[in-house]
């Protein structure tokens, strides 16, 4: 029992230090066909720290949930741009 308590207490600081996930919506250009969102999603999922991506073809947006300690919006927009779909953070 004591070892379990020590293990729990040792793990506690790591949980406290973990950053709260952030969500950002990107306005994505050049999505002209139903296959484009697949490429955009895959480019974003390759970024370390990204935990969820939802691409809306009709609205031309990508909503990304990420760990701000591992990824920044600039990395997300760069990833889509490198895939041929320039993007910018929606205000």
């Amino acid at each position: 029992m004591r070892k379990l308590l020590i293990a729990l207490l040792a793990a506690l600081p790591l949980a406290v230090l973990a950053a709260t996930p952030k969500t950002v919506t990107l306005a994505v250009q050049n999505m002209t066909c139903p296959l484009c969102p697949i490429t955009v999603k895959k480019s974003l999922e390759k970024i370390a720290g990204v935990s969820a991506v939802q691409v809306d073809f009709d609205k031309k947006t990508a909503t990304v949930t990420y760990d701000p300690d591992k990824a920044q919006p600039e990395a997300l927009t760069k990833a889509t741009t490198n895939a041929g779909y320039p993007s910018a953070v929606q205000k």
Side-chain angles (χ1 to χ4, degrees):
M1 180 73 171
R2 184 174 181 191
K3 287 183 180 181
L4 178 61
L5 183 60
I6 292 171
L8 287 173
L9 290 174
L12 186 61
L14 296 176
V16 172
L17 294 176
T20 302
K22 289 192 175 186
T23 300
V24 67
T25 299
L26 307 177
V28 184
Q29 301 174 34
N30 299 346
M31 286 200 296
T32 57
C33 74
L35 294 178
C36 294
I38 295 169
T39 303
V40 171
K41 183 174 182 173
K42 286 184 178 183
S43 71
L44 291 165
E45 289 175 336
K46 290 180 183 177
I47 303 297
V50 170
S51 58
V53 178
Q54 186 170 4
V55 181
D56 187 319
F57 176 70
D58 293 329
K59 293 181 181 178
K60 308 292 189 248
T61 61
T63 303
V64 185
T65 303
Y66 64 97
D67 178 342
D69 287 342
K70 297 179 182 175
Q72 294 299 315
E74 297 79 22
L76 305 175
T77 58
K78 183 177 180 182
T80 64
T81 299
N82 288 346
Y85 302 91
S87 67
V89 175
Q90 278 190 340
K91 303 276 183 201

